[in-house]
Amino acid sequence: DAGVTQSPTHLIKTRGQHVTLRCSPISGHKSVSWYQQVLGQGPQFIFQYYEKEERGRGNFPDRFSARQFPNYSSELNVNALLLGDSALYLCASNLLPSVTSSGANVLTFGAGSRLTVL
Amino acid sequence: KQEVTQIPAALSVPEGENLVLNCSFTDSAIYNLQWFRQDPGKGLTSLLLIQSSQREQTSGRLNASLDKSSGRSTLYIAASQPGDSATYLCAVDNQGGKLIFGQGTELSVKP
C-alpha cells in the first residue's frame, strides 16, 4: 500500500515566481495537512483540509493557498516567491482531522518537496 | 500561544549508551504529544503518540513519558545504536490535528 506521495521531490524557482506542490494521501484518508520546514527548524503548520473544506490555517501570508480535490489529493500553491520560502514542504494525511493513536487516524507524513528559491 | 522547546539541540553519544531527549510545552491543554524521527532530507516517521490521558508509551527500545501538569515529555532510548542517528522532533496537538513542533534534537550515535 503506497504511503503519502508528494511531487515534485525537488525544485528550484526564482524570486517572484509561482509554485504548485502536489500531495496524494494514503488511500482512504480524507484529511490532508501541509507543513513548512525551514532548514534547522521544526515543521510549521500551514493548512489542513478535510472533505475538500479548509479546516485550519497557520500564520502564513495570503501568498500561500491550497485546495483538496474530490479524490482527496491536494495542492499547495505559493505566489510571488521570496527567498525565505525556501524550505521542505511536507504533506501529511489521516482519516479524520483529529489525530489519535488508533489505526488510520495516525498522521502519516510524505517525504516532502524541497523548494529552493534563488 | 503554545510553544514547544527541545533540549539539547544536538547530542553525541557512544554506541550502547542509554539516553534521554527532553521536550517542554507552555500550554498543558493538549490532545496528545508525538515523537517523530527525521533522517537527513527526509520526511517524518512517527515513533510514539501519547494521548493526553496517558502517562507513557513504549515501543521496543523507545519509551516516551508525558507530564501535562509540568508541560514536559521525555523520550528514552535504550542501548543506542548508530542506526538511531537522526533528528528527533516532538509535537503537541492542542487544536485538533494541527501539530506544533519543537526545533528538534539532532542525535549522533558513534560506533
Tab-separated table of all heavy atoms in Angstrom, chain A residues 33 35 37 40-43 45 48 55-56 88 90 97-101 106-107 109-111 114, chain B residues 31-32 34 36 38 41-44 46 49 51 54 89 93 96-104:
chain	number	residue	atom	x	y	z
A	33	SER	N	-2.895	17.640	5.508
A	33	SER	CA	-2.308	18.829	6.126
A	33	SER	C	-0.990	19.152	5.441
A	33	SER	O	-0.296	18.259	4.950
A	33	SER	CB	-2.057	18.583	7.620
A	33	SER	OG	-3.246	18.275	8.300
A	35	TYR	N	2.760	21.312	5.901
A	35	TYR	CA	3.697	21.915	6.845
A	35	TYR	C	4.908	22.443	6.068
A	35	TYR	O	5.313	21.849	5.067
A	35	TYR	CB	4.175	20.896	7.887
A	35	TYR	CG	3.114	20.511	8.892
A	35	TYR	CD1	2.143	19.566	8.590
A	35	TYR	CD2	3.090	21.097	10.163
A	35	TYR	CE1	1.169	19.217	9.511
A	35	TYR	CE2	2.121	20.752	11.092
A	35	TYR	CZ	1.162	19.817	10.758
A	35	TYR	OH	0.188	19.472	11.677
A	37	GLN	N	8.970	23.293	6.574
A	37	GLN	CA	10.115	23.094	7.445
A	37	GLN	C	11.325	23.804	6.873
A	37	GLN	O	11.931	23.335	5.894
A	37	GLN	CB	10.410	21.603	7.650
A	37	GLN	CG	11.505	21.369	8.679
A	37	GLN	CD	11.766	19.907	8.950
A	37	GLN	OE1	11.494	19.054	8.104
A	37	GLN	NE2	12.276	19.592	10.127
A	40	GLY	N	16.921	23.438	9.715
A	40	GLY	CA	17.334	23.586	11.107
A	40	GLY	C	16.209	23.852	12.084
A	40	GLY	O	16.455	24.024	13.281
A	41	GLN	N	14.983	23.887	11.591
A	41	GLN	CA	13.837	24.150	12.463
A	41	GLN	C	12.819	23.019	12.365
A	41	GLN	O	12.884	22.178	11.475
A	41	GLN	CB	13.184	25.477	12.085
A	41	GLN	CG	14.089	26.684	12.244
A	41	GLN	CD	13.379	27.971	11.916
A	41	GLN	OE1	12.151	28.039	11.887
A	41	GLN	NE2	14.151	29.013	11.662
A	42	GLY	N	11.860	23.022	13.289
A	42	GLY	CA	10.775	22.061	13.209
A	42	GLY	C	9.724	22.514	12.206
A	42	GLY	O	9.663	23.692	11.851
A	43	PRO	N	8.918	21.597	11.714
A	43	PRO	CA	7.864	21.968	10.757
A	43	PRO	C	6.859	22.937	11.370
A	43	PRO	O	6.591	22.894	12.574
A	43	PRO	CB	7.200	20.620	10.436
A	43	PRO	CG	8.220	19.590	10.775
A	43	PRO	CD	8.967	20.143	11.944
A	45	PHE	N	2.863	24.431	10.808
A	45	PHE	CA	1.572	24.135	10.191
A	45	PHE	C	1.156	25.240	9.236
A	45	PHE	O	1.220	26.428	9.587
A	45	PHE	CB	0.523	23.969	11.292
A	45	PHE	CG	-0.892	23.868	10.792
A	45	PHE	CD1	-1.352	22.688	10.236
A	45	PHE	CD2	-1.752	24.945	10.885
A	45	PHE	CE1	-2.645	22.586	9.773
A	45	PHE	CE2	-3.056	24.855	10.431
A	45	PHE	CZ	-3.504	23.674	9.875
A	48	GLN	N	-4.848	22.733	6.851
A	48	GLN	CA	-5.469	21.421	6.984
A	48	GLN	C	-6.763	21.418	6.178
A	48	GLN	O	-7.564	22.359	6.284
A	48	GLN	CB	-5.767	21.082	8.442
A	48	GLN	CG	-6.371	19.696	8.634
A	48	GLN	CD	-6.848	19.469	10.068
A	48	GLN	OE1	-7.666	20.210	10.585
A	48	GLN	NE2	-6.311	18.433	10.699
A	55	ARG	N	-9.973	23.352	7.073
A	55	ARG	CA	-10.290	23.182	8.491
A	55	ARG	C	-9.382	24.027	9.389
A	55	ARG	O	-9.676	24.216	10.560
A	55	ARG	CB	-10.149	21.706	8.895
A	55	ARG	CG	-11.237	20.824	8.354
A	55	ARG	CD	-12.556	21.101	9.038
A	55	ARG	NE	-12.452	20.819	10.456
A	55	ARG	CZ	-12.968	19.744	11.039
A	55	ARG	NH1	-13.614	18.871	10.316
A	55	ARG	NH2	-12.848	19.561	12.338
A	56	GLY	N	-8.291	24.491	8.826
A	56	GLY	CA	-7.400	25.294	9.638
A	56	GLY	C	-6.311	25.917	8.787
A	56	GLY	O	-5.957	25.390	7.726
A	88	LEU	N	11.563	22.700	3.076
A	88	LEU	CA	10.982	21.396	2.775
A	88	LEU	C	9.487	21.489	3.087
A	88	LEU	O	9.113	21.853	4.206
A	88	LEU	CB	11.639	20.309	3.626
A	88	LEU	CG	11.149	18.877	3.451
A	88	LEU	CD1	11.496	18.351	2.053
A	88	LEU	CD2	11.730	17.965	4.535
A	90	LEU	N	6.077	19.619	3.626
A	90	LEU	CA	5.620	18.286	3.996
A	90	LEU	C	4.108	18.194	3.938
A	90	LEU	O	3.403	19.102	4.377
A	90	LEU	CB	6.093	17.948	5.417
A	90	LEU	CG	7.600	17.840	5.611
A	90	LEU	CD1	7.947	17.931	7.096
A	90	LEU	CD2	8.124	16.543	5.031
A	97	PRO	N	-9.771	14.677	10.747
A	97	PRO	CA	-8.916	15.821	11.074
A	97	PRO	C	-8.187	15.689	12.397
A	97	PRO	O	-7.086	16.187	12.555
A	97	PRO	CB	-9.898	16.995	11.112
A	97	PRO	CG	-11.058	16.568	10.314
A	97	PRO	CD	-11.165	15.075	10.520
A	98	SER	N	-8.794	15.014	13.382
A	98	SER	CA	-8.139	14.894	14.672
A	98	SER	C	-7.151	13.745	14.628
A	98	SER	O	-7.325	12.790	13.869
A	98	SER	CB	-9.164	14.662	15.783
A	98	SER	OG	-9.922	13.512	15.496
A	99	VAL	N	-6.122	13.841	15.444
A	99	VAL	CA	-5.057	12.844	15.447
A	99	VAL	C	-5.188	11.965	16.681
A	99	VAL	O	-5.261	12.474	17.790
A	99	VAL	CB	-3.675	13.511	15.446
A	99	VAL	CG1	-2.563	12.464	15.547
A	99	VAL	CG2	-3.494	14.331	14.181
A	100	THR	N	-5.249	10.663	16.486
A	100	THR	CA	-5.226	9.734	17.615
A	100	THR	C	-4.200	8.653	17.319
A	100	THR	O	-3.580	8.650	16.261
A	100	THR	CB	-6.599	9.092	17.855
A	100	THR	OG1	-6.875	8.206	16.743
A	100	THR	CG2	-7.688	10.126	17.947
A	101	SER	N	-4.066	7.741	18.239
A	101	SER	CA	-3.097	6.669	18.060
A	101	SER	C	-3.696	5.443	17.395
A	101	SER	O	-3.009	4.469	17.173
A	101	SER	CB	-2.514	6.256	19.414
A	101	SER	OG	-3.556	5.832	20.266
A	106	VAL	N	-3.707	7.875	12.731
A	106	VAL	CA	-2.328	8.301	12.953
A	106	VAL	C	-1.918	9.165	11.773
A	106	VAL	O	-2.158	8.824	10.619
A	106	VAL	CB	-1.398	7.082	13.079
A	106	VAL	CG1	0.057	7.530	13.155
A	106	VAL	CG2	-1.776	6.245	14.284
A	107	LEU	N	-1.300	10.290	12.039
A	107	LEU	CA	-0.882	11.204	10.986
A	107	LEU	C	0.358	10.633	10.294
A	107	LEU	O	1.353	10.349	10.957
A	107	LEU	CB	-0.571	12.565	11.589
A	107	LEU	CG	-0.503	13.777	10.654
A	107	LEU	CD1	-1.821	14.005	9.957
A	107	LEU	CD2	-0.092	15.001	11.435
A	109	PHE	N	3.245	11.180	7.313
A	109	PHE	CA	3.883	12.219	6.505
A	109	PHE	C	4.491	11.634	5.242
A	109	PHE	O	4.964	10.495	5.224
A	109	PHE	CB	4.995	12.909	7.303
A	109	PHE	CG	4.495	13.938	8.278
A	109	PHE	CD1	4.010	13.548	9.520
A	109	PHE	CD2	4.499	15.284	7.957
A	109	PHE	CE1	3.543	14.498	10.428
A	109	PHE	CE2	4.039	16.235	8.851
A	109	PHE	CZ	3.558	15.836	10.090
A	110	GLY	N	4.491	12.446	4.182
A	110	GLY	CA	5.234	12.133	2.977
A	110	GLY	C	6.687	12.552	3.125
A	110	GLY	O	7.089	13.109	4.149
A	111	ALA	N	7.479	12.279	2.076
A	111	ALA	CA	8.910	12.579	2.109
A	111	ALA	C	9.207	14.046	1.864
A	111	ALA	O	10.325	14.503	2.097
A	111	ALA	CB	9.645	11.718	1.092
A	114	ARG	N	11.301	19.589	-1.723
A	114	ARG	CA	12.351	20.539	-1.350
A	114	ARG	C	12.332	21.686	-2.341
A	114	ARG	O	12.642	21.499	-3.510
A	114	ARG	CB	13.712	19.857	-1.360
A	114	ARG	CG	14.891	20.798	-1.184
A	114	ARG	CD	15.097	21.226	0.235
A	114	ARG	NE	15.344	20.136	1.140
A	114	ARG	CZ	15.413	20.268	2.458
A	114	ARG	NH1	15.232	21.458	3.002
A	114	ARG	NH2	15.643	19.230	3.226
B	31	TYR	N	-4.256	17.684	23.266
B	31	TYR	CA	-4.929	16.433	22.962
B	31	TYR	C	-3.951	15.269	23.059
B	31	TYR	O	-4.281	14.190	23.542
B	31	TYR	CB	-5.518	16.466	21.549
B	31	TYR	CG	-6.712	17.363	21.390
B	31	TYR	CD1	-6.624	18.511	20.617
B	31	TYR	CD2	-7.927	17.051	21.982
B	31	TYR	CE1	-7.704	19.336	20.446
B	31	TYR	CE2	-9.028	17.892	21.817
B	31	TYR	CZ	-8.905	19.024	21.052
B	31	TYR	OH	-9.987	19.850	20.891
B	32	ASN	N	-2.755	15.481	22.525
B	32	ASN	CA	-1.756	14.427	22.543
B	32	ASN	C	-0.388	15.021	22.253
B	32	ASN	O	-0.279	16.201	21.883
B	32	ASN	CB	-2.092	13.315	21.539
B	32	ASN	CG	-2.249	13.838	20.116
B	32	ASN	OD1	-1.307	14.391	19.554
B	32	ASN	ND2	-3.426	13.655	19.537
B	34	GLN	N	3.359	13.778	20.279
B	34	GLN	CA	4.005	12.766	19.435
B	34	GLN	C	5.501	13.007	19.373
B	34	GLN	O	5.962	14.153	19.386
B	34	GLN	CB	3.464	12.838	17.996
B	34	GLN	CG	2.165	12.134	17.773
B	34	GLN	CD	1.786	12.101	16.311
B	34	GLN	OE1	1.130	12.983	15.795
B	34	GLN	NE2	2.202	11.057	15.626
B	36	PHE	N	8.638	12.164	16.740
B	36	PHE	CA	8.938	11.778	15.366
B	36	PHE	C	10.442	11.631	15.199
B	36	PHE	O	11.236	12.254	15.906
B	36	PHE	CB	8.472	12.847	14.375
B	36	PHE	CG	6.985	13.009	14.256
B	36	PHE	CD1	6.297	13.870	15.097
B	36	PHE	CD2	6.279	12.318	13.286
B	36	PHE	CE1	4.925	14.039	14.976
B	36	PHE	CE2	4.908	12.483	13.149
B	36	PHE	CZ	4.224	13.344	14.003
B	38	GLN	N	13.368	12.045	12.064
B	38	GLN	CA	13.591	12.565	10.718
B	38	GLN	C	15.029	12.307	10.316
B	38	GLN	O	15.962	12.808	10.951
B	38	GLN	CB	13.268	14.055	10.629
B	38	GLN	CG	13.358	14.606	9.216
B	38	GLN	CD	12.892	16.051	9.111
B	38	GLN	OE1	13.072	16.840	10.032
B	38	GLN	NE2	12.261	16.404	7.991
B	41	GLY	N	17.147	15.156	5.112
B	41	GLY	CA	16.489	15.376	3.831
B	41	GLY	C	15.230	14.566	3.617
B	41	GLY	O	14.690	14.550	2.513
B	42	LYS	N	14.751	13.908	4.661
B	42	LYS	CA	13.595	13.021	4.517
B	42	LYS	C	12.393	13.564	5.269
B	42	LYS	O	12.464	14.565	5.974
B	42	LYS	CB	13.947	11.629	5.068
B	42	LYS	CG	15.170	10.988	4.453
B	42	LYS	CD	14.963	10.637	2.992
B	42	LYS	CE	16.150	9.876	2.437
B	42	LYS	NZ	15.994	9.563	1.003
B	43	GLY	N	11.264	12.856	5.108
B	43	GLY	CA	10.059	13.201	5.841
B	43	GLY	C	10.114	12.702	7.274
B	43	GLY	O	11.161	12.297	7.768
B	44	LEU	N	8.977	12.744	7.937
B	44	LEU	CA	8.889	12.388	9.351
B	44	LEU	C	8.310	10.990	9.530
B	44	LEU	O	7.358	10.626	8.849
B	44	LEU	CB	7.991	13.383	10.085
B	44	LEU	CG	8.316	14.861	9.924
B	44	LEU	CD1	7.342	15.707	10.712
B	44	LEU	CD2	9.735	15.137	10.350
B	46	SER	N	6.580	8.706	12.498
B	46	SER	CA	6.030	8.748	13.844
B	46	SER	C	6.585	7.586	14.666
B	46	SER	O	6.586	6.432	14.228
B	46	SER	CB	4.504	8.657	13.793
B	46	SER	OG	3.963	8.700	15.095
B	49	LEU	N	3.001	8.064	20.083
B	49	LEU	CA	1.973	9.068	20.327
B	49	LEU	C	1.387	8.811	21.697
B	49	LEU	O	0.986	7.669	21.998
B	49	LEU	CB	0.886	9.011	19.261
B	49	LEU	CG	-0.216	10.090	19.323
B	49	LEU	CD1	-0.772	10.372	17.943
B	49	LEU	CD2	-1.345	9.689	20.265
B	51	GLN	N	-1.599	9.946	24.206
B	51	GLN	CA	-2.827	10.708	24.373
B	51	GLN	C	-2.760	11.483	25.683
B	51	GLN	O	-2.031	11.118	26.599
B	51	GLN	CB	-4.040	9.769	24.384
B	51	GLN	CG	-4.223	8.964	23.122
B	51	GLN	CD	-4.783	9.787	21.978
B	51	GLN	OE1	-4.983	10.988	22.073
B	51	GLN	NE2	-5.003	9.141	20.844
B	54	GLN	N	-2.889	9.611	28.935
B	54	GLN	CA	-1.872	8.601	29.190
B	54	GLN	C	-0.630	9.242	29.814
B	54	GLN	O	-0.395	10.444	29.689
B	54	GLN	CB	-1.504	7.899	27.875
B	54	GLN	CG	-2.668	7.151	27.252
B	54	GLN	CD	-2.323	6.592	25.876
B	54	GLN	OE1	-1.588	7.211	25.114
B	54	GLN	NE2	-2.859	5.426	25.566
B	89	LEU	N	12.022	14.879	16.772
B	89	LEU	CA	11.128	16.016	16.936
B	89	LEU	C	9.949	15.633	17.820
B	89	LEU	O	9.395	14.538	17.672
B	89	LEU	CB	10.580	16.457	15.577
B	89	LEU	CG	11.598	17.042	14.587
B	89	LEU	CD1	11.166	16.798	13.165
B	89	LEU	CD2	11.782	18.530	14.833
B	93	ASP	N	-0.418	18.525	19.968
B	93	ASP	CA	-1.658	18.805	19.258
B	93	ASP	C	-2.639	19.366	20.281
B	93	ASP	O	-3.124	18.629	21.130
B	93	ASP	CB	-2.190	17.516	18.625
B	93	ASP	CG	-3.532	17.707	17.952
B	93	ASP	OD1	-3.974	18.863	17.806
B	93	ASP	OD2	-4.136	16.686	17.565
B	96	GLY	N	-6.733	19.999	17.638
B	96	GLY	CA	-7.417	19.005	16.826
B	96	GLY	C	-6.738	18.684	15.521
B	96	GLY	O	-7.356	18.791	14.451
B	97	GLY	N	-5.483	18.271	15.602
B	97	GLY	CA	-4.821	17.792	14.397
B	97	GLY	C	-3.825	18.756	13.808
B	97	GLY	O	-3.170	18.429	12.825
B	98	LYS	N	-3.675	19.951	14.382
B	98	LYS	CA	-2.692	20.920	13.877
B	98	LYS	C	-1.509	20.873	14.834
B	98	LYS	O	-1.549	21.426	15.931
B	98	LYS	CB	-3.309	22.304	13.823
B	98	LYS	CG	-4.608	22.326	13.021
B	98	LYS	CD	-5.364	23.612	13.252
B	98	LYS	CE	-6.780	23.541	12.692
B	98	LYS	NZ	-7.631	22.541	13.344
B	99	LEU	N	-0.454	20.204	14.402
B	99	LEU	CA	0.671	19.945	15.288
B	99	LEU	C	1.580	21.159	15.421
B	99	LEU	O	1.832	21.863	14.447
B	99	LEU	CB	1.487	18.753	14.768
B	99	LEU	CG	0.720	17.454	14.581
B	99	LEU	CD1	1.676	16.340	14.181
B	99	LEU	CD2	-0.042	17.070	15.832
B	100	ILE	N	2.092	21.352	16.633
B	100	ILE	CA	3.097	22.380	16.898
B	100	ILE	C	4.377	21.663	17.303
B	100	ILE	O	4.381	20.911	18.292
B	100	ILE	CB	2.635	23.344	17.998
B	100	ILE	CG1	1.338	24.034	17.560
B	100	ILE	CG2	3.713	24.387	18.297
B	100	ILE	CD1	0.672	24.838	18.641
B	101	PHE	N	5.428	21.872	16.521
B	101	PHE	CA	6.671	21.134	16.679
B	101	PHE	C	7.707	21.932	17.459
B	101	PHE	O	7.745	23.173	17.409
B	101	PHE	CB	7.277	20.822	15.304
B	101	PHE	CG	6.582	19.721	14.559
B	101	PHE	CD1	5.442	19.975	13.813
B	101	PHE	CD2	7.084	18.430	14.583
B	101	PHE	CE1	4.800	18.961	13.110
B	101	PHE	CE2	6.457	17.414	13.877
B	101	PHE	CZ	5.320	17.676	13.148
B	102	GLY	N	8.581	21.192	18.152
B	102	GLY	CA	9.810	21.771	18.646
B	102	GLY	C	10.829	21.839	17.518
B	102	GLY	O	10.567	21.389	16.396
B	103	GLN	N	12.001	22.371	17.826
B	103	GLN	CA	13.017	22.556	16.787
B	103	GLN	C	13.859	21.313	16.559
B	103	GLN	O	14.651	21.257	15.620
B	103	GLN	CB	13.913	23.756	17.112
B	103	GLN	CG	14.846	23.536	18.286
B	103	GLN	CD	14.210	23.893	19.618
B	103	GLN	OE1	13.036	23.619	19.872
B	103	GLN	NE2	14.994	24.527	20.480
B	104	GLY	N	13.680	20.310	17.425
B	104	GLY	CA	14.355	19.047	17.213
B	104	GLY	C	15.654	18.897	17.986
B	104	GLY	O	16.294	19.878	18.367
